Amino acid sequence: MADAHAVVVGAGIGGLSAALALHRHGWRVTVLERAAEPREVGAGLTLMANALRGLDALGLGPAVRRGGTEAPGGIRDRHGRWLSRVDGAEMIRQLGTTALGVHRTTLHRTLREALPASALRTSAEVEHVESGPDRAEVRFRGPAGSQTLTADLVVGADGLRSQVRAQLWPRHPAPEYAGSTAWRAAIAFPEPVPAAISWGPGAEFGMVPLGDGQVYWYGAVNASPGGHAPDELAALRERFGDWHAPIPALLAATPSGVVLRNDIHHLAVPLPSYVRGRVALLGDAAHAMTPNLGQGAGQAIEDAVVLGAVCAGGADGLPAALAAYDEQRRPRSQAIARAALRAGRYGQQLRNPLAIAVRDSALRLTPGRAALRGMARYADWSPPAG
Ligand SMILES: Cc1cc2nc3c(=O)[nH]c(=O)nc-3n(C[C@H](O)[C@H](O)[C@H](O)COP(=O)(O)OP(=O)(O)OC[C@H]3O[C@@H](n4cnc5c(N)ncnc54)[C@H](O)[C@@H]3O)c2cc1C
């Protein structure tokens, strides 16, 4: 293959996965990241079978599994009664793996270390992207001032507020607030904790073991956007303090200053294409979704693996390869984004007591296998052969 060069904008999970997928198919890659330190913002993550199979295709499955812990999960009410519980053994039978709880830092570091160190350029904020018929150009501001790179392919992996999306799809509506705000942290908590989501009226609390005495927890509530408490942890203890064990203990064990708060936004209007000329969007830049199915990073990893596979022939025939990328990725990722929004409305955001009673009874009556089949609709994805 002639020296095919890709510039990836953004070194999040999506951008690093894309860079690695292209690198493994013989591309020279340059990743431009505006932050001075490449790091993953946030606490923990749940990776479903699809994400783990994608990481297997990138050669990182074993390393990521070693760094995480099995987290099959289930749903409880705020008093701790199980509404639905995943049978880990059955999940392995259906999907080959349980879900995995992993610290974001671990996943990010594993991806970064698999790339040549020279591929990543930090403190490099992309300001302008343009696509011609044969090449694309990226202008960025780095420590040495403004610079321009020319590439066969540019990958916009610059997240929810993507500059690349805004420039190439200038009339596309911006992401919207989804109605909930979320707090999260990863903490030391030596007692065993089952992976679980607990629902109360208009609120949800999730906990995921990460291994090595670490637990990732998050709380989400219906709220107006832009809210802040003078002491976020105190506000959370107030909100979730009377929920079932070990929620109060998890909050009590959380040091102040480690809690992150984010309003949840999503790309409410789906993009008509993930490709314009020689530029492809990926991850949250392409399909920012609400976190209710735990699939945002998983979809970014899938995008990356498919992009690498369709571009395996190098820069020749790239327009057809990118058309195949769009065709393979857009319907699935947008369907999952729609499903995540529905899951949030049916789960965390539901407030009406009658509707909650009906939902909870329906969940209790749904056999575990049927619940798993529902989950498998999203998690049962395999990378393209070859
Ligand atoms: C509360 C919450 C819980 C979640 N839980 C899960 C879960 O359990 N499982 C799951 O799969 N997903 C989960 N997600 C979703 C997941 O975090 C995201 O979908 C995923 O991290 C997106 O990765 P990305 O690489 O596309 O974008 P990002 O992680 O946003 O990365 C974008 C990168 O681009 C850089 N950048 C931005 N603009 C520029 C620029 N102009 N120039 C250069 N660099 C730039 C940024 O600094 C950043 O490093 C959750 C999300 C939230 C909010």
Side-chain angles (χ1 to χ4, degrees), residues 267 271 274 282-289 296 299-300 303 329 333-334 337:
L267 199 59
L271 279 163
Y274 289 174
L282 166 153
D284 278 9
H287 45 62
M289 60 187 72
Q299 289 308 297
D303 291 342
R329 292 304 308 147
S333 52
Q334 292 180 344

Side-chain angles (χ1 to χ4, degrees), residues 10 12-14 32-34 45-46 104 124 126 157-158 283-284 294 296-298:
I13 292 165
L32 300 176
E33 167 56 50
R34 74 175 165 199
L45 270 180
T46 306
R104 280 178 186 254
V126 170
D158 48 346
D284 278 9

Side-chain angles (χ1 to χ4, degrees), residues 9-15 32-35 39-40 44-47 104 124-127 157-161 163 182 184 216 218 262 264 282-285 291 294-300:
V9 185
I13 292 165
L32 300 176
E33 167 56 50
R34 74 175 165 199
R39 69 194 173 90
E40 178 61 19
L45 270 180
T46 306
L47 298 176
R104 280 178 186 254
E125 172 142 23
V126 170
E127 295 176 331
D158 48 346
L160 174 73
R161 305 270 170 214
Q163 270 286 328
R184 48 191 164 147
Y216 158 52
Y218 67 88
N262 296 95
I264 304 294
L282 166 153
D284 278 9
Q295 275 289 348
Q299 289 308 297

